[in-house]
Amino acid sequence: MKNRLFILLAVLLCGTATLRAEREYVTVNSVDAIDAVQWSGGDGSQGDPYQIATETDLLALQSTVASGATYTGKYFILRSDITLSSAWTPIGSDATHYFQGDFDGDKFVITIPSTVSGAYRGLFGHTNGANIHSVTVAGSISGTQYVGGVVGYAENTQISDCASSASVTGSSNATGGIVGYMIAGSTVSRCVNKGTVSSSVYNTSQWNYTDYGVGGIVGYANYGSSSTVAMVSDCMNYATVTATNTLYVGGVVGQVYSYGKISGCKNFGLVSAYGCVGGICGSAYLSYNGNIAIRNSVNVGTIRATSNNLGGIVGYMYPSGSSSSPLNVEYCVNSGRVGTLGSNAYVGGIAGYNYDSYGYVRYCLNAGKVSGSNTIGGIVGYQSGTPSSFVQYCLNVGDVRASTTNNVGAIMGSAYGNPSNCYWDKQMCTATYQYGTTENAAYAKTTVDLVGQSAYPSSSYWIAQTGIYPVPNPSDNVNFATDVAVLMAASPVMLANGDNVVGVGNSFVVSLLNSALWNSSDLSVVSISGNAASIQNTGSVTLTVSNGVQDYKQIDIYAVTDCWASGSGTEADPYLIATATELACVRNNVNQGVTYAGKWFKLTADISVGSGWQPIGAQLTPFKGNFDGDGHSVTIT
């Protein structure tokens, strides 16, 4: 006690500390004077941590760290919800001041109304060697670079069981819902973000990747070494992530560089950016001798961009080109919509653009609709590298639509090599080719072929599920057979034989297994009662599957009803066209994608149509049936 009093007296006489009277604001410059701060309780040990119960306590922690204290080996615990009364300066707010202790939020909420402008922004601005757990933040957090809901810049820090509902906004590098920037062995696990994440940074150069990243959980995950891998695991993002003027934006991680692992994560939020955007990771950039793995993760959210390189799981993959340094995307599932028709190139249900060799996409399921302008694939948009297969044992049950015929494939849009053991549902996906201009029709299966079995793609890597599509079978204690998001993605629509999503002319069945609920966007076109769906009228409709709480997958179909007087469409009994209205109905259906392949039509009268007549069929929607004019004429007035 005498020693402590002597230290305090010396500190005060030298003017290096200002202590509080009656628990007022305090600034401490000497680490030896830490114990003089009158916390709400505790001695800083693991068994009796310092208690943070008031705004004054939190301000004292912020102030002492700003003055040089790191709290190495010290423990803190939050004891009540705290709402800050003014703009917050983070705990550790620059490159040279950081927190190194253990902070247990104990699930209490710290509400931050706003933050003082600058870099290193969050509840904690800079941590190094710290342990941050069970922290929940709300409010509004903004800054320039290194901006996160819980930690702005995390160095060799373990962050777990944290949550944020705060809106997080950055104007420069590295913005994330939980962590802005993580490096050198930092980990983020079991964290949840429900606050919007946005960035106004301008970066449209694909080669300007250093420190750039915007993510629902982590903005930028930087390398350490093979022994200090940046790890993000079992995290969920439910919020919108937006960065319309920049690249490298992801629902979970904006960009992971060199050594990193993303595992067991989910994204449910809309992700919208300039380019290089993915449901789980915007960009995975692997330097030589690095190692990156994205595994066991699921995207449900919609993925949009104004430029290129979009993926349901990862937008842009940059492998090292070395077999000893692979970039692996494995056992992942996407059910979100990816891309916009006519707007994007290099779009894939799993990966948008895979730049080089030894970037593997394996054992993945896509159930989301993939759209764009060109180089569009159900699994990978563009696969570069040497002519060998790096896309293996994947299954696509989502539709693929493009505004051109340039490199549009059910599995890959364009590739140097060929996919290995990759299948697709030809009733759900109407793409003609497996990849490029290679058909490989043996890999196109009907829904009945695929449901309830695992032989397609492989029983070694997939689990058969009764009444639904097979699901990936991860090898590291992850069970997709009980994962609701995966089961909903694998929930099928069982169209009648001969029908596909651009031509549904018969009643069909939807799966109600695993408590799936189906909804039709227009009951006047398709009505659903129980598991039975009935066609009411011709038109487009979206079917949505949910569990009653969360929507998981949408399927667009075009329903067709007969709009001619008679005929069954066979050669012996063709559809009979007698009026301009009936002919226009054929035109409208074909231009929506109904090919009428194998069907027969016969004109039974002369017909006159107006000068604004649009042709039957176009480059992307050709008529493939048989049309007999039977000597009659069609006059365009």
Side-chain angles (χ1 to χ4, degrees), residues 244 272-275 304-308 310 343-344:
T244 55
S272 178
Y274 178 79
R304 294 176 183 163
T306 55
S307 185
N308 305 323
L310 296 79
S343 296
N344 312 117

Side-chain angles (χ1 to χ4, degrees), residues 356 373 376 400 566 570:
D356 207 343
S373 57
I376 314 296
V400 177
S566 61
T570 64

Side-chain angles (χ1 to χ4, degrees), residues 169-249:
T169 304
S171 61
S172 187
N173 303 350
T175 301
I178 301 295
V179 179
Y181 186 102
M182 61 185 288
I183 190 172
S186 292
T187 65
V188 180
S189 59
R190 301 181 302 279
C191 292
V192 177
N193 177 56
K194 294 184 178 181
T196 58
V197 180
S198 62
S199 175
S200 60
V201 63
Y202 187 87
N203 173 32
T204 59
S205 171
Q206 193 162 308
W207 304 111
N208 187 14
Y209 55 85
T210 304
D211 290 1
Y212 282 100
V214 182
I217 301 295
V218 176
Y220 188 92
N222 203 353
Y223 72 95
S225 67
S226 58
S227 60
T228 57
V229 175
M231 297 184 65
V232 181
S233 61
D234 303 313
C235 293
M236 294 189 185
N237 175 61
Y238 290 92
T240 297
V241 180
T242 307
T244 55
N245 293 316
T246 192
L247 305 168
Y248 314 131
V249 181

Side-chain angles (χ1 to χ4, degrees), residues 66-93:
S67 299
T70 63
Y71 290 104
T72 303
K74 296 295 183 179
Y75 292 80
F76 292 81
I77 188 167
L78 197 61
R79 284 306 189 195
S80 65
D81 294 340
I82 296 175
T83 298
L84 299 173
S85 59
S86 59
W88 174 245
T89 299
I91 301 166
S93 58

Side-chain angles (χ1 to χ4, degrees), residues 111-150:
T111 301
I112 301 171
S114 62
T115 49
V116 174
S117 63
Y120 298 89
R121 289 300 177 256
L123 174 62
F124 292 86
H126 188 181
T127 61
N128 187 344
N131 187 16
I132 311 296
H133 50 107
S134 302
V135 170
T136 301
V137 297
S140 178
I141 295 169
S142 62
T144 54
Q145 63 181 357
Y146 312 138
V147 183
V150 178

Side-chain angles (χ1 to χ4, degrees), residues 279 297-303 310-314 329-339 347-352 361-371 376-381 391-401 409-412 422-426 428-431 450 456-457 462 469-472 480 485-492 552-555:
S297 295
V298 182
N299 176 62
V300 177
T302 297
I303 310 303
L310 296 79
I313 300 300
V314 56
V329 178
E330 302 173 325
Y331 301 107
C332 290
V333 176
N334 173 62
S335 62
R337 293 175 181 261
V338 185
V347 186
I350 301 298
V361 178
R362 300 184 286 204
Y363 331 128
C364 292
L365 168 66
N366 176 59
K369 186 175 183 178
V370 182
S371 305
I376 314 296
I379 300 297
V380 177
V391 180
Q392 304 169 347
Y393 299 104
C394 291
L395 175 62
N396 175 44
V397 299
D399 200 7
V400 177
R401 297 289 186 92
I411 301 299
M412 298 190 299
C422 292
Y423 294 81
W424 76 95
D425 186 333
K426 63 183 180 181
M428 294 294 110
C429 175
T430 57
L450 295 167
Y456 313 115
W462 293 74
Y469 293 111
V471 300
F480 275 171
V486 174
L487 295 176
M488 293 296 109
S491 187
Y552 286 96
K553 180 173 67 171
Q554 293 182 318
I555 299 174

